[in-house]
């Protein structure tokens, strides 16, 4: 089935509340360059608690090893999921993107940690001087494994071509577990779609009709303009130090919850207050994994 932009009514209609995702760490910033980046398990949990308090309902997690380097260690991933699950009610999303240096096979093993959600990037992107590799067969394998394990994917779209690849994925493999299709536009990566209102809205217009919600983030200085356009256009927000290390001109981000608080204030101002964690779970139809 082929959809054109005009058929998309669901995800582009105005959303009542705002899903705020925090991406606190990422894989591309060194702790040495940014000591306030949460890289230990204790820092991750403390960040998660503070960000939930500030209005986040989903956390996109990359972990680091004992030397603060990006890691896909199975034990550490499972410990991180368990610790954040114990201390918060956030929807827990593990990155399957890892760092630009992680091999594809290792990235698939992230699902073993049993997160609520996983990222699934819909195509290869130049990433500064590096390449973030996501060939279609890898995407399809990851998607099928997520379906089997009842993990809800978030489709990450770094470029307009990724929207077409999402269309192909749904045509080939059907809907995700739970039936909701949530996407996140990651704009402003050098090599991907620019962090401009025009580029974001072109992506939104092209979304398949099956998409039930969309979010956006602007990397670096496009952070605030993209948040404003997303809120004005029915989209949700992703913020955090994975994407942005500068709170304002000359003022580095000190803590992820500062970015979440500002996003929550913006959302309230736009009459689209932050969703609670339970509302976010319902929006994304994630499986109940907590034991009472
Ligand atoms: N670290 C980037 C190359 C994801 O988390 O799924 C990829 C990334 C995407 O962060
Ligand atoms: Zn990420």
């Amino acid at each position: 089935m082929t959809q054109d932009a005009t058929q998309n009514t669901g995800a582009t209609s105005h959303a009542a509340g705002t899903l705020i995702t925090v991406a606190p760490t990422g894989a591309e910033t060194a702790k040495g360059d940014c000591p306030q980046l949460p890289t230990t398990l204790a820092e991750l949990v403390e960040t998660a608690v503070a960000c939930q308090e500030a209005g986040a309902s989903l956390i996109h997690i990359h972990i680091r090893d004992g030397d603060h380097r990006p890691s896909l260690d199975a034990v550490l991933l499972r410990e991180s999921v368990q610790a954040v699950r114990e201390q918060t009610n956030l929807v827990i999303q593990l990155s399957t993107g890892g760092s630009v240096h992680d091999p594809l096979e290792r990235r698939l093993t992230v699902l073993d940690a049993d997160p609520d959600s996983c990222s699934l990037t819909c195509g290869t992107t130049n990433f500064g001087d590096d390449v973030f590799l996501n060939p279609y067969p890898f995407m399809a394998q990851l998607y099928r494994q997520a379906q089997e394990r009842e993990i809800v994917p978030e489709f990450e779209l770094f470029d307009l071509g990724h929207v077409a690849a999402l269309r192909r994925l749904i045509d080939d493999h059907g809907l995700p577990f739970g039936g909701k299709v949530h996407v996140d536009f990651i704009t402003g990566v050098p090599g991907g779609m620019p962090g401009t209102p025009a580029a974001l809205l072109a992506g939104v217009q092209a979304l398949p009709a099956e998409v039930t919600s969309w979010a956006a983030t602007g990397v670096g200085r496009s952070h605030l303009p993209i948040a404003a356009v997303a809120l004005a256009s029915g989209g949700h927000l992703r913020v955090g130090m994975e994407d942005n290390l500068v709170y304002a001109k000359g003022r580095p981000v000190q803590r992820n919850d500062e970015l979440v608080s500002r996003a929550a204030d913006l959302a309230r101002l736009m009459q689209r207050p932050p969703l609670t964690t339970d509302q976010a779970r319902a929006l994304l139809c994630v499986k109940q994994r907590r034991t009472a």
Side-chain angles (χ1 to χ4, degrees):
M1 184 174 65
T2 304
Q3 306 281 345
D4 66 30
T6 57
Q7 288 174 282
N8 190 329
T9 51
T12 49
S13 63
H14 203 70
T18 303
L19 172 77
I20 299 180
T21 294
V22 63
T25 309
E28 315 304 334
T29 299
K31 180 84 160 176
D33 293 338
C34 182
Q36 59 276 37
L37 196 70
T39 52
T40 67
L41 182 54
E43 287 168 348
L44 172 67
V45 171
E46 193 260 314
T47 298
V49 169
C51 288
Q52 176 174 306
E53 191 91 345
S57 48
L58 190 157
I59 185 164
H60 168 87
I61 296 177
H62 290 254
I63 60 161
R64 301 289 178 105
D65 65 15
D67 295 323
H68 310 284
R69 286 183 306 227
S71 170
L72 296 176
D73 179 80
V75 174
L76 204 50
L77 277 168
R78 198 167 267 280
E79 276 175 7
S80 304
V81 169
Q82 281 171 358
V84 175
R85 196 167 274 154
E86 270 168 30
Q87 299 297 323
T88 75
N89 192 40
L90 293 166
V91 177
I92 299 174
Q93 178 181 99
L94 287 182
S95 164
T96 64
S99 91
V100 285
H101 306 295
D102 285 321
L104 297 175
E105 320 77 68
R106 293 273 294 137
R107 287 165 51 192
L108 285 174
T109 64
V110 163
L111 301 190
D112 294 341
D114 201 31
D116 302 314
S117 171
C118 65
S119 57
L120 193 168
T121 296
C122 291
T124 295
T125 314
N126 282 322
F127 210 93
D129 292 344
D130 296 300
V131 174
F132 177 32
L133 195 63
N134 294 283
Y136 185 77
F138 169 75
M139 289 169 49
Q141 199 180 359
L142 175 57
Y143 190 35
R144 283 197 307 272
Q145 290 192 13
Q147 285 170 321
E148 281 160 20
R149 291 161 187 242
E150 303 186 335
I151 295 168
V152 175
E154 174 182 280
F155 300 98
E156 299 208 342
L157 309 175
F158 288 72
D159 219 334
L160 208 47
H162 294 191
V163 182
L166 170 62
R167 168 78 274 145
R168 181 179 171 199
L169 203 59
I170 295 171
D171 286 343
D172 289 350
H173 300 288
L175 293 175
F177 170 76
K180 304 287 185 169
V181 182
H182 179 69
V183 311
D184 182 34
F185 289 97
I186 301 189
T187 70
V189 167
M193 65 198 289
T196 60
L200 174 61
L201 293 176
V204 172
Q205 291 296 310
L207 287 174
E210 289 86 345
V211 172
T212 48
S213 54
W214 64 272
T217 188
V219 169
R221 65 179 57 190
S222 61
H223 211 66
L224 274 174
I226 287 293
V229 174
L231 280 173
S233 313
H236 301 275
L237 303 180
R238 168 171 137 169
V239 298
M241 293 172 76
E242 173 166 347
D243 303 331
N244 178 27
L245 296 168
V246 178
Y247 188 84
K249 198 168 178 198
R251 150 84 154 90
V253 175
Q254 296 300 332
R255 301 168 51 88
N256 277 282
D257 56 280
E258 294 179 322
L259 294 171
V260 174
S261 280
R262 182 166 65 179
D265 286 344
L266 269 177
R268 281 187 283 265
L269 190 68
M270 294 295 284
Q271 305 289 298
R272 291 190 45 208
L275 294 183
T276 65
T277 50
D278 284 341
Q279 288 170 329
R281 285 169 184 282
L283 178 81
L284 305 175
C285 244
V286 295
K287 182 178 166 172
Q288 173 58 269
R289 283 181 161 78
R290 280 181 167 71
T291 45

